[in-house]
Amino acid sequence: MPIPEDVTGEEIDKDVRQELQSLPKTLAEDVAKNLVMVARLIDDDPEGAYGYSRVALRLASRVAAVREAAGFAAYANQKYAEALAEFRAARRMTGNVDLWPVMADCERGLGRPEKALDMAGAPEVHKLDKAGQVEMRLVAAGARRDMGQLDAAIVTLQSPELASSSVQPWTARLRYAYADALLAVGRADEAREWFAKAVEADRDGSTDASDRLAELDGVEFVDALDEEESEEAPEETEASAERDVEAEPVVEAERDVEAESDVEAESDPEQD
């Protein structure tokens, strides 16, 4: 796959670059460039990111960072079985537990929420940092909802992190999930309160909390293009009416000329 000229491979994280040092220099550069493309495209063009991840995987399948990138690219394309296999491979290579929550979410994607809940109660969770533990809580709550246990999902999300007034990278998503769970059981007033709190914490627009809040408040958004078209329509109607009015005298005039011709023809003695 083509690599843009502005991609050098130096953009990757220093830890990943260090992993690639086990490869020959030219090969390491090629792998690095493909990993850069994965990171660049994964949000807006997941299919493209997946393509670059497959190239990197073909070039350096024994590098943990490559397996992890391939896992995330597959995950972004909802290829959960493939993503889970790559995450497991990366974990075996590094012994790191950071991927535990996303591995559990892959189990959800594969229709195995019970397995995700088992992973949420595993000893590995205690080795996660705070962000990882919050992520695991979100996955567990999602698994509860998959199983129809809506009240249990709400309880799962209730935590010191949710109650905290400080804003962390995970705060908006945690509050959003809690609001959505409340709404699912019909607690609309509480849901509105937590969607509002999610909006306050969502500084980079990672959720659609503002839209959900507006929806609960009964605010309707009008498409600007549709509004312009509706404003132009009356003008077109008026223009059409003017053309019809202008056309009428012409028609009447033509009828008058025809009538006069008929009268003259009847009164002309030479035609008798």
Side-chain angles (χ1 to χ4, degrees):
M1 297 182 69
I3 302 291
E5 294 183 359
D6 65 318
V7 174
T8 65
E10 294 297 320
E11 300 90 341
I12 60 174
D13 186 84
K14 63 178 182 179
D15 292 335
V16 177
R17 193 180 305 117
Q18 186 173 357
E19 279 192 63
L20 296 179
Q21 288 180 356
S22 60
L23 303 173
K25 183 178 180 181
T26 302
L27 180 59
E29 291 176 354
D30 289 341
V31 173
K33 290 178 181 179
N34 279 281
L35 292 181
V36 170
M37 293 305 298
V38 172
R40 178 179 289 189
L41 298 176
I42 198 164
D43 291 329
D44 299 324
D45 181 13
E47 290 186 6
Y50 180 77
Y52 283 104
S53 74
R54 301 308 296 176
V55 174
L57 192 60
R58 187 170 63 249
L59 295 174
S61 62
R62 295 186 178 181
V63 176
V66 171
R67 303 302 290 266
E68 183 175 330
F72 278 110
Y75 179 81
N77 284 276
Q78 299 183 1
K79 299 177 183 290
Y80 298 117
E82 186 177 326
L84 185 57
E86 297 300 340
F87 290 143
R88 284 173 174 169
R91 183 169 178 270
R92 284 195 301 270
M93 292 176 179
T94 64
N96 200 319
V97 298
D98 291 351
L99 296 172
W100 197 253
V102 71
M103 289 169 63
D105 205 40
C106 285
E107 295 288 0
R108 283 187 62 211
L110 291 169
R112 301 193 292 248
E114 297 88 351
K115 178 61 176 176
L117 286 177
D118 289 342
M119 294 180 68
E124 284 82 355
V125 175
H126 300 293
K127 300 177 184 178
L128 295 169
D129 60 13
K130 182 62 68 177
Q133 290 179 5
V134 171
E135 193 66 34
M136 192 71 249
R137 190 176 292 276
L138 288 168
V139 173
R144 291 291 185 188
R145 293 189 64 171
D146 293 342
M147 298 168 66
Q149 301 173 3
L150 302 183
D151 290 327
I154 292 173
V155 173
T156 299
L157 292 168
Q158 292 172 343
S159 61
E161 292 80 18
L162 179 66
S164 176
S165 60
S166 66
V167 176
Q168 302 296 333
W170 62 78
T171 302
R173 292 178 59 238
L174 183 59
R175 292 177 179 177
Y176 181 96
Y178 189 61
D180 194 45
L182 289 169
L183 191 60
V185 297
R187 294 160 62 176
D189 291 341
E190 294 174 80
R192 189 205 176 282
E193 176 186 350
W194 282 97
F195 276 128
K197 290 181 178 181
V199 171
E200 294 174 358
D202 195 0
R203 296 168 179 170
D204 58 356
S206 61
T207 73
D208 64 346
S210 58
D211 293 340
R212 299 292 300 276
L213 183 61
E215 183 180 343
L216 285 174
D217 288 342
V219 178
E220 294 184 6
F221 295 96
V222 178
D223 192 318
L225 293 177
D226 291 342
E227 189 172 322
E228 289 177 4
E229 289 177 1
S230 63
E231 289 176 356
E232 290 175 359
E235 295 179 1
E236 293 178 357
T237 302
E238 291 173 5
S240 299
E242 289 176 1
R243 286 197 295 270
D244 292 341
V245 171
E246 291 173 357
E248 286 178 2
V250 175
V251 173
E252 293 296 331
E254 289 178 351
R255 290 174 181 167
D256 293 343
V257 171
E258 290 176 358
E260 289 176 3
S261 298
D262 292 341
V263 172
E264 290 176 0
E266 291 176 358
S267 60
D268 190 344
E270 292 182 0
Q271 291 183 2
D272 293 336

